């Protein structure tokens, strides 16, 4: 095998160098194991680098009343109670330590007057809780982790796409893929594999997500037998750019509203008064997104189908200091000076709450030796993620998954040997688009996927629409059997897209099948034909797995809250 493919050996292979993957790699390396860290782009360029508004942790630096209990209750309420409470408890308790650790490793946050980490308000957080670096928090997080990972002895493999997990019987034994630069095959032998591969916002056209977010890791886990959970829960962020068309979907951070930004409709009315008079502009993302949608439907939208977001009353100096990226973004891309004029915004696909089902404390998936953390993993955020809770998720569960992957490796009695046939199968699958007979353009298929998702699995859904969308995705799956790539394997994005769309189509099928199943409205999942929450569905998570006859959908009880945590919900 080593002769056919460039081959590497690691105890733990971490796929993904965003916040989750890097934090996991550091933990596994600190446990004394050999760790390989693989990413599609250059180190430091993962999607996490784009994070803007901040990282949520109940440090209580600005509002001393804040504590883990309130963060727990906010997160459960935000997720509309289908979150895994065990994950939420761990998360709320450990997030402050992970932030302070990041600071010890060199992360420089904005400060309070007395030198503590400054915290800002954000949607549906009871207290000012988001530690931040202006509106460039992700950059600081990535820089700090990158430095720490390199100095912890992690081996980094950049510009490499892994496309198949390898197994020995039931357990994980490595992964296989190709070098993006020259298309050459690469095989990793590993005793444990940890997914930190992020989300799949690229299945939608209007999205804040980067090109990397095609869901490869989640689809690979599904193909390897792992369970996926709550795939219907896809988050629209209420404020993406709308105009000009080329920038549609780019994020306008929630920090704008955190710092006092006000939403208005075309008549200048503060319409959030109608939908959530208590939290107003800082209501949760699902509520604000639906509110903008309803305003547009009622004919009160902005000229390009959204709403206005105004922060100009805070003054130029404040805006340039607290929101420098937003200031630059609007000036450069839309020729709008946000210190003087309102921004035009509309909902954009931002985050996936669903993903690979993991064990709460360890990140273990249902496949032995396969772990997952970060956006690719499900459970923490339930039906709707609160802003700022992703970055702390990456640190808390990245660390835990890295430690538990290391413990799993240490407890192994024999070294798993990858099934060579799987690697050969994948290599011939990858080369198929170059063979004669294919006639489908991968970019065209990707565009059609995005059209189908936007039209049939958008903010507002009906059973009929979802069923039609599913049929369209199944038809695209058929056409994707005949994908065509031209040119050579030397850096060939068209060929890369052939594999990406296969992953995306699998996840779209899972989104549709799960969305059809959940016959209620909850969080990000808004069914016009079932407009209310149904307590019976509030007690179920939806599970997708690969069965003998293809994708199988099932439900599983949401773990019930123990009495002491249920009391926190009443108290808050
Ligand atoms: C514009 C924007 C602003 C945001 N702001 C905030 C914020 O302020 N606060 C907050 O909490 N959240 C924020 N989020 C959300 C948050 O940034 C993401 O949820 C989070 O960064 C995801 O991190 P991750 O480590 O799970 O994955 P990612 O950062 O997406 O990293 C995935 C990694 O996996 C690699 N990978 C994927 N597939 C493969 C493959 N097949 N082979 C090899 N490598 C692969 C990629 O190359 C990459 O290195 C924001 C998101 C966006 C888009």
């Amino acid at each position: 095998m080593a002769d056919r493919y460039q081959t590497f050996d690691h105890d733990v292979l971490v796929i993904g160098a965003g916040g989750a993957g890097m934090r996991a790699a550091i933990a596994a390396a600190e446990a004394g194991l050999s760790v390989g860290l693989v990413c599609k782009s250059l180190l430091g360029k993962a999607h996490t680098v784009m994070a803007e508004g901040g990282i949520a942790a109940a440090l209580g630096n600005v509002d001393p009343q804040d504590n883990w209990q309130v963060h727990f209750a906010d997160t459960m309420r935000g997720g509309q109670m289908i979150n895994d409470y065990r994950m939420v408890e761990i998360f709320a308790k450990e997030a402050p330590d992970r932030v302070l650790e990041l600071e010890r490793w060199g992360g420089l946050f904005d400060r309070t007057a007395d030198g503590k980490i400054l915290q800002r308000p954000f949607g549906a957080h009871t207290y000012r809780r988001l530690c931040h670096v202006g509106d460039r928090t992700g950059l600081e997080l990535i820089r700090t982790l990158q430095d720490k990972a390199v100095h912890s002895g992690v081996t980094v493999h950049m510009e490499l796409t892994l496309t198949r997990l390898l197994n020995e019987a039931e357990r994980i034994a490595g992964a296989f893929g190709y070098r993006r630069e020259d298309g050459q095959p690469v095989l990793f032998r590993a005793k444990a594999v940890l997914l930190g591969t992020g989300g799949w916002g690229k299945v939608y056209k209007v999205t804040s997500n980067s090109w990397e977010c095609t869901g490869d890791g989640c689809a690979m886990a599904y193909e390897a037998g792992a369970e996926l959970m709550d795939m219907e829960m896809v988050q629209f962020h209420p404020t993406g750019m709308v105009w000009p068309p080329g920038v549609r979907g780019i994020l306008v951070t929630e920090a704008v509203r955190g710092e006092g930004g006000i939403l208005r409709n075309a008549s200048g009315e503060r319409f959030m008064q109608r939908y959530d008079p208590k939290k107003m502009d800082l209501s949760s993302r699902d509520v604000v997104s639906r509110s903008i949608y309803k305003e547009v439907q009622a004919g009160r939208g902005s000229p390009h189908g959204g709403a206005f977001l105004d922060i100009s009353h805070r003054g130029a100096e404040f805006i340039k200091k607290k929101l420098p990226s937003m200031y630059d973004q609007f000036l450069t891309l839309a020729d709008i000076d946000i210190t003087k004029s309102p921004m035009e915004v509309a909902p954009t696909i931002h985050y996936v709450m669903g993903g690979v089902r993991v064990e709460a404390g360890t990140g273990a998936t249902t496949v032995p030796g396969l772990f997952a953390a970060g956006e690719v993993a499900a459970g923490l955020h339930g039906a709707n993620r609160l802003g700022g809770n992703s970055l702390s998720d990456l640190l808390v569960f990245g660390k835990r998954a890295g430690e538990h992957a290391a413990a799993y490796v240490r407890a192994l009695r024999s070294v798993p040997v990858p099934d060579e046939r799987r690697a050969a199968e994948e290599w011939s699958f990858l080369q198929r688009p170059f063979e004669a007979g294919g006639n489908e353009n991968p970019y065209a298929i990707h565009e059609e996927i995005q059209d189908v998702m936007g039209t049939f699995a958008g903010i507002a859904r009906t059973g009929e629409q979802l069923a039609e969308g599913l049929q369209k995705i199944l038809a695209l799956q058929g056409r994707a059997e005949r994908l065509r790539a031209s040119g050579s394997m030397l850096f060939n994005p068209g060929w890369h897209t052939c594999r990406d769309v296969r992953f995306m189509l699998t996840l779209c099928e899972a989104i549709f099948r799960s969305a059809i199943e959940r016959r209620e409205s909850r969080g990000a999942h808004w069914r016009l034909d079932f407009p209310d929450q149904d307590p019976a569905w509030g007690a179920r998570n939806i599970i997708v797995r690969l069965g003998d006859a293809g994708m199988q959908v099932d439900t599983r009880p949401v773990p019930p809250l123990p009495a002491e945590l249920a009391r926190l919900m009443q108290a808050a």
Side-chain angles (χ1 to χ4, degrees):
M1 182 156 44
D3 299 342
R4 290 183 67 190
Y5 314 116
Q6 187 179 21
T7 302
F8 298 96
D9 289 273
H10 292 291
D11 292 324
V12 178
L13 175 68
V14 179
I15 311 180
M22 284 216 265
R23 187 61 191 83
I26 293 165
E30 284 184 337
L33 299 187
S34 117
V35 180
L37 178 65
V38 183
C39 50
K40 293 202 276 194
S41 54
L42 296 170
L43 188 66
K45 297 205 113 188
H47 179 73
T48 298
V49 81
M50 295 162 74
E52 293 167 349
I55 175 165
L59 288 165
N61 287 354
V62 182
D63 291 318
Q65 316 89 302
D66 200 11
N67 55 40
W68 77 261
Q69 288 92 336
V70 186
H71 195 183
F72 172 87
D74 287 348
T75 304
M76 290 297 300
R77 199 171 297 115
Q80 308 207 352
M81 306 303 287
I82 59 164
N83 330 45
D84 182 335
Y85 80 83
R86 297 163 297 200
M87 289 180 88
V88 183
E89 183 180 5
I90 291 169
F91 166 74
K93 283 181 172 165
E94 295 182 6
D97 285 346
R98 296 288 72 77
V99 170
L100 294 173
E101 177 181 70
L102 201 69
E103 189 184 40
R104 282 198 301 281
W105 291 349
L108 281 176
F109 291 93
D110 287 1
R111 323 297 300 181
T112 61
D114 56 351
K116 293 182 186 156
I117 294 176
L118 182 60
Q119 298 185 275
R120 65 162 44 123
F122 237 60
H125 287 280
T126 301
Y127 296 115
R128 286 171 285 182
R129 191 177 280 149
L130 265 77
C131 313
H132 59 276
V133 186
D135 56 3
R136 293 174 181 152
T137 313
L139 176 63
E140 192 65 14
L141 184 136
I142 280 281
R143 270 191 198 150
T144 309
L145 290 179
Q146 183 179 337
D147 194 52
K148 180 73 179 168
V150 168
H151 289 97
S152 303
V154 171
T155 305
V156 183
H157 305 268
M158 291 188 271
E159 299 197 297
L160 218 149
T161 298
L162 294 180
T163 53
R164 179 87 69 118
L165 297 173
L166 302 176
N167 59 310
E168 179 202 65
E170 295 298 302
R171 60 183 182 164
I172 283 294
F176 181 87
Y178 63 88
R179 292 204 305 244
R180 298 179 70 82
E181 186 187 6
D182 58 11
Q184 289 309 297
V186 184
L187 187 145
F188 287 90
R189 287 186 287 240
K191 297 170 192 157
V193 173
L194 197 153
L195 299 171
T197 42
W200 38 97
K202 276 294 181 192
V203 302
Y204 287 83
K205 186 176 285 168
V206 178
T207 176
S208 64
N209 281 200
S210 78
W211 67 270
E212 294 189 298
C213 300
T214 48
D216 317 358
C218 188
M220 281 193 274
Y222 164 81
E223 282 160 13
E227 288 182 353
L228 311 186
M229 190 166 88
D230 295 339
M231 293 294 287
E232 72 282 15
M233 296 300 178
V234 181
Q235 179 169 72
F236 282 82
H237 192 295
T239 61
M241 289 181 83
V242 190
W243 195 258
V247 303
R248 193 171 181 119
I250 293 179
L251 193 73
V252 180
T253 174
E254 193 166 316
V256 175
R257 282 172 290 137
E259 299 293 355
I262 292 171
L263 286 162
R264 294 183 199 279
N265 63 18
S267 338
E269 183 197 5
R270 290 192 71 177
F271 58 88
M272 284 310 297
Q273 183 75 43
R274 203 177 351 266
Y275 303 104
D276 187 349
K278 198 158 161 235
K279 300 198 200 83
M280 291 291 284
D281 306 284
L282 284 180
S283 183
S284 59
R285 290 175 174 180
D286 51 339
V287 174
V288 183
S289 293
R290 271 198 297 279
S291 305
I292 296 177
Y293 178 89
K294 286 176 183 170
E295 288 300 298
V296 174
Q297 293 295 307
R300 296 187 291 265
S302 61
H304 303 103
F308 293 109
L309 175 60
D310 193 5
I311 182 89
S312 59
H313 53 279
R314 298 302 309 254
E317 195 187 336
F318 176 89
I319 292 169
K320 286 181 191 171
K321 179 158 178 256
K322 299 304 274 183
L323 302 162
S325 299
M326 287 305 105
Y327 174 74
D328 288 345
Q329 185 172 305
F330 273 87
L331 205 57
T332 318
L333 302 178
D335 202 20
I336 285 175
D337 180 348
I338 65 169
T339 67
K340 299 194 175 100
S341 314
M343 299 158 246
E344 197 181 351
V345 295
T348 180
I349 281 289
H350 186 58
Y351 186 85
V352 289
M353 278 74 72
V356 183
R357 191 170 84 81
V358 292
E359 199 176 77
T362 66
T365 70
T366 40
V367 176
L370 182 63
F371 295 78
E375 193 169 341
V376 68
L380 174 62
H381 308 289
N384 172 59
R385 174 177 73 86
L386 298 191
N389 271 2
S390 170
L391 294 186
S392 23
D393 169 9
L394 310 183
L395 298 179
V396 169
F397 293 104
K399 176 176 188 285
R400 279 181 164 261
E403 285 170 353
H404 285 276
Y408 167 87
V409 166
R410 288 214 185 281
L412 281 178
R413 294 184 168 196
S414 61
V415 175
V417 180
D419 181 346
E420 194 172 341
R421 285 167 309 177
R422 290 287 201 135
E425 239 171 63
E426 178 64 18
W427 185 225
S428 83
F429 184 77
L430 282 169
Q431 292 175 89
R432 224 156 71 186
F434 288 114
E435 290 161 9
N439 57 359
E440 293 286 355
N441 178 333
Y443 293 120
I445 297 273
H446 188 189
E447 264 188 56
E448 288 192 47
I449 292 174
Q450 293 179 326
D451 285 343
V452 172
M453 296 308 287
T455 310
F456 298 96
I459 283 195
R461 305 161 171 191
T462 65
E464 210 176 312
Q465 257 181 354
L466 291 166
E468 193 178 340
L470 174 62
Q471 289 313 314
K472 289 185 183 297
I473 289 296
L474 297 179
L476 284 171
Q477 285 178 352
R479 284 171 51 195
E481 295 287 336
R482 303 186 298 276
L483 283 165
R484 167 179 54 81
S486 52
S488 76
M489 283 183 172
L490 293 181
F491 194 86
N492 184 339
W495 173 51
H496 302 168
T497 304
C498 291
R499 192 66 179 98
D500 297 346
V501 297
R502 301 299 290 258
F503 288 137
M504 287 190 266
L505 283 165
T506 300
L507 300 185
C508 293
E509 182 184 344
I511 292 171
F512 275 114
R513 290 195 187 279
S514 306
I516 290 169
E517 188 71 11
R518 187 174 285 283
R519 291 180 294 281
E520 65 155 355
S521 291
R522 183 174 299 273
H525 181 63
W526 181 25
R527 288 275 304 251
L528 297 175
D529 46 352
F530 294 97
D532 301 316
Q533 282 197 357
D534 176 344
W537 277 110
R540 313 298 296 174
N541 292 119
I542 295 180
I543 304 291
V544 162
R545 77 168 74 77
L546 181 57
D548 293 338
M551 194 173 282
Q552 207 175 304
V553 184
D554 224 328
T555 68
R556 190 184 292 275
V558 174
L561 275 185
E564 73 275 13
L565 294 177
R567 270 196 295 279
L568 294 181
M569 301 305 301
Q570 285 143 21

